[in-house]
């Protein structure tokens, strides 16, 4: 099985090298795809150096900070064209510990999208401030209520998609870009009837580098949920194809 792990980066110079080293040391063979948005701190050069020394690392350079959603899409397209069967996404800041990657991949035998989840039994968060926990809880509750999302952790970026799932979604029509991209993807996956499962993870707040979540991102995420909620009520969403393709 060909496994690709997409790591979007923006100013992650302290984190990227140890993260990639830990990913490549896992007992399963993976291809790492770094998507760097011309990070001012030189993360892109570190990624190039890692790629030069290991054929299991590939780098996509984009000219500037174009947002998390399009970074994932660029990574998805590269992974699909490389023939990946499982496509994972994770943050570069060690909030998503690489040791969980094999758990997500194993669970993907019985599910089409697997989420590394803080909010199922055995999952938790560490070193997160109260405002950060409240933000996550509020975003999850709002998205779940409006969109009837079945997962417990709808905003998690630690995921494993089966290739067919990404192939079934027209990635170029995904409207949201920043963090709300995760909510929109989950919504589209669920609407298409794919099986979604969660495995518990301990989410650790980043220790190095800075968060990129801004007030504007939060407003955009709320807008995405409302927009998709209107789409859901108006019945204009695509009909499920999953049962045919599985
Ligand atoms: N390529 C790219 N990567 C991004 C962009 N914005 C964020 N990232 C990366 O996406 C991942 C998640 O961003 P974070 O800032 O850690 O956001 P978060 O994990 O939701 O929030 P914190 O818990 O505060 O860290 C990290 O690996 C970032 O470097 C972007 O515009 N482009
Ligand atoms: Mg983070």
């Amino acid at each position: 099985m060909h496994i690709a792990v997409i790591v979007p980066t923006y100013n992650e110079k302290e984190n990227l090298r140890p993260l990639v080293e830990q990913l490549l040391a896992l007992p399963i063979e993976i291809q790492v795809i770094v998507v760097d948005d011309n990070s001012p701190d030189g993360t892109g050069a570190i990624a190039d150096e890692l790629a030069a020394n290991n054929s299991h690392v590939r780098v996509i350079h984009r000219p500037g900070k174009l947002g998390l959603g399009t970074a994932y899409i660029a990574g998805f397209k590269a992974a699909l064209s490389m023939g990946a069967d499982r496509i994972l996404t994770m943050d570069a800041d060690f909030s998503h510990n690489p040791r969980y990657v094999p758990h997500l991949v194993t669970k993907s035998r019985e599910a089409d999208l697997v989420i590394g989840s803080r909010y199922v039994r055995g999952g938790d968060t560490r070193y997160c401030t109260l405002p950060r926990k409240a933000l996550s809880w509020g975003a999850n509750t709002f998205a779940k209520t409006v969109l009837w999302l079945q997962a417990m952790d709808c905003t998690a970026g630690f995921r494993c998609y089966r290739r067919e799932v990404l192939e079934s979604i027209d990635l170029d029509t995904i409207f949201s870009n920043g963090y709300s991209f995760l909510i929109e993807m989950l919504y589209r996956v669920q609407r298409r009837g794919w099986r979604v499962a969660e495995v518990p993870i301990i989410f650790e707040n980043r220790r190095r580098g800075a968060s990129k979540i801004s007030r504007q991102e939060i407003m955009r995420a709320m807008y995405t949920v409302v927009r998709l909620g209107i789409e859901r009520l108006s019945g204009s969403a695509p009909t499920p194809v999953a049962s045919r393709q599985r």
Side-chain angles (χ1 to χ4, degrees):
M1 185 173 21
H2 185 162
I3 301 161
V5 178
I6 299 165
V7 183
T9 55
Y10 192 74
N11 288 346
E12 300 287 359
K13 73 168 182 210
E14 297 106 327
N15 293 314
L16 185 63
R17 192 187 304 276
L19 179 81
V20 170
E21 283 168 1
Q22 289 186 29
L23 283 169
L24 295 177
L26 288 171
I28 52 175
E29 191 178 314
I30 56 171
Q31 178 77 38
V32 180
I33 302 174
V34 179
V35 186
D36 185 70
D37 278 4
N38 201 11
S39 297
D41 74 350
T43 303
I46 296 171
D48 281 338
E49 196 190 310
L50 292 165
N53 292 323
N54 196 311
S55 60
H56 287 97
V57 182
R58 205 184 136 177
V59 192
I60 298 172
H61 292 283
R62 306 198 307 164
K65 194 172 187 313
L66 299 173
L68 192 51
T70 54
Y72 283 138
I73 291 176
F76 288 158
K77 289 182 176 172
L80 290 173
S81 71
M82 287 159 67
D85 305 299
R86 300 287 188 278
I87 297 102
L88 288 92
T89 57
M90 68 189 292
D91 292 358
D93 57 5
F94 282 99
S95 289
H96 303 148
N97 194 311
R99 73 190 160 97
Y100 295 117
V101 165
H103 300 201
L104 270 76
V105 171
T106 302
K107 190 76 179 171
S108 72
R109 290 202 192 115
E110 59 196 67
D112 303 304
L113 164 60
V114 181
I115 300 174
S117 176
R118 296 162 280 189
Y119 305 130
V120 291
R121 185 191 289 266
D124 209 346
T125 53
R126 296 265 195 280
Y127 316 118
C128 288
T129 59
L130 200 59
R132 183 69 179 74
K133 281 186 189 172
L135 175 64
S136 171
W137 183 86
N140 257 286
T141 307
F142 184 54
K144 273 198 305 208
T145 310
V146 175
L147 301 176
W148 285 28
L149 298 175
Q150 305 299 315
M152 299 302 291
D153 197 344
C154 305
T155 53
F158 201 7
R159 297 183 176 184
C160 174
Y161 299 86
R162 290 176 79 107
R163 134 175 227 109
E164 303 76 33
V165 174
L166 297 182
E167 285 173 334
S168 76
I169 292 171
D170 185 356
L171 296 171
D172 294 322
T173 63
I174 304 255
F175 180 85
S176 14
N177 188 3
Y179 293 79
S180 53
F181 176 87
L182 292 163
I183 296 171
E184 181 161 354
M185 272 303 278
L186 178 58
Y187 171 77
R188 302 222 173 278
V189 168
Q190 186 178 303
R191 290 292 287 202
R192 294 229 150 215
W194 295 110
R195 299 162 297 177
V196 178
E198 292 175 89
V199 294
I201 65 153
I202 308 292
F203 177 100
E204 290 194 23
N205 201 17
R206 67 160 67 239
R207 300 200 188 156
R208 289 173 288 193
S211 173
K212 283 102 213 168
I213 295 183
S214 61
R215 198 172 292 249
Q216 195 190 27
E217 286 281 1
I218 297 167
M219 296 309 288
R220 280 205 200 125
M222 287 175 73
Y223 172 64
T224 292
V225 173
V226 171
R227 185 180 53 77
L228 293 174
I230 293 168
E231 176 188 302
R232 189 175 76 82
L233 289 176
S234 66
S236 58
T239 45
V241 294
S243 49
R244 265 193 288 126
Q245 294 191 349
R246 208 180 287 143

